Amino acid sequence: KQWYQRRVRGSWDESDMGQLSNWKIKTTCCRLREGDFSWMSKISHLQNIHLATSELLNWLSTLGGGWSALGDSSEYAAHQCFTVSVQQLCLAQKLQYPELVSTCWLYAALSLIQLNRRKEAKQIILSQYPTVRRYRNHRYLTSLYSATVFKYNATFTSRRALK
């Protein structure tokens, strides 16, 4: 009780360590089997692939964002943005995360809007609606979808708007 009170107050001294060393702690050692090591190597390999792919996706996202910012004023930049979006899409499909795949499709649609390719952009936007609806709690995906639809409607206001 005295040790606990001193510990709560934050005052430690030599006698506290003596009291702790009198405690007997039982430890058990588990034996690892060869199967455990083989699974550990498989899991660590998959984890390394996932980390490398995630890092590459982050770099591509940064690069794509830069090209996208320039894409409003330069057709070359919009083409580069579309190329980066397709590369992101390929990586996302390898990871098999539907939210990430849908996000990459929407990035591609934004690039197509910058290139004034209305029909392809509309097809992508409409094809991603079921995924966005399924993952409506995913805030970034739903806001990206809304922003893409808004940009589509704002860019092509003279024609019939997407609903």
Side-chain angles (χ1 to χ4, degrees):
K1 187 175 180 180
Q2 293 172 350
W3 172 79
Y4 176 74
Q5 289 172 346
R6 278 184 280 194
R7 172 64 183 109
V8 171
R9 290 188 207 132
S11 61
W12 282 89
D13 59 7
E14 298 287 327
S15 64
D16 295 331
M17 296 310 287
Q19 289 175 356
L20 286 177
S21 64
N22 291 334
W23 289 26
K24 293 183 180 178
I25 300 172
K26 292 183 181 180
T27 58
T28 58
C29 181
C30 62
R31 297 181 67 196
L32 293 176
R33 296 181 217 138
E34 288 181 29
D36 294 338
F37 287 113
S38 67
W39 274 106
M40 185 175 65
S41 66
K42 290 176 185 177
I43 295 295
S44 67
H45 176 69
L46 289 174
Q47 183 181 17
N48 289 338
I49 290 173
H50 179 73
L51 289 173
T53 308
S54 297
E55 184 177 352
L56 185 57
L57 275 171
N58 289 338
W59 279 106
L60 286 174
S61 182
T62 303
L63 185 62
W67 284 118
S68 179
L70 296 171
D72 289 329
S73 59
S74 168
E75 189 173 334
Y76 174 77
H79 278 288
Q80 291 299 320
C81 181
F82 182 73
T83 304
V84 170
S85 298
V86 170
Q87 290 173 346
Q88 280 183 305
L89 180 61
C90 292
L91 282 174
Q93 287 175 335
K94 285 183 183 179
L95 287 176
Q96 298 178 349
Y97 291 144
E99 305 100 320
L100 188 58
V101 171
S102 184
T103 300
C104 293
W105 274 115
L106 291 173
Y107 289 155
L110 285 169
S111 303
L112 291 172
I113 291 169
Q114 289 177 333
L115 292 168
N116 288 324
R117 292 170 58 182
R118 180 177 181 254
K119 188 175 182 180
E120 294 95 342
K122 182 177 181 178
Q123 287 176 344
I124 290 174
I125 292 169
L126 292 176
S127 71
Q128 294 311 304
Y129 181 73
T131 307
V132 172
R133 192 146 160 81
R134 188 178 325 126
Y135 297 102
R136 61 178 160 257
N137 292 332
H138 194 282
R139 288 184 182 176
Y140 182 74
L141 181 61
T142 54
S143 63
L144 179 63
Y145 183 81
S146 299
T148 306
V149 170
F150 180 79
K151 183 163 184 161
Y152 180 90
N153 288 334
T155 304
F156 304 112
T157 53
S158 61
R159 298 189 177 121
R160 189 172 166 215
L162 179 69
K163 296 189 181 190

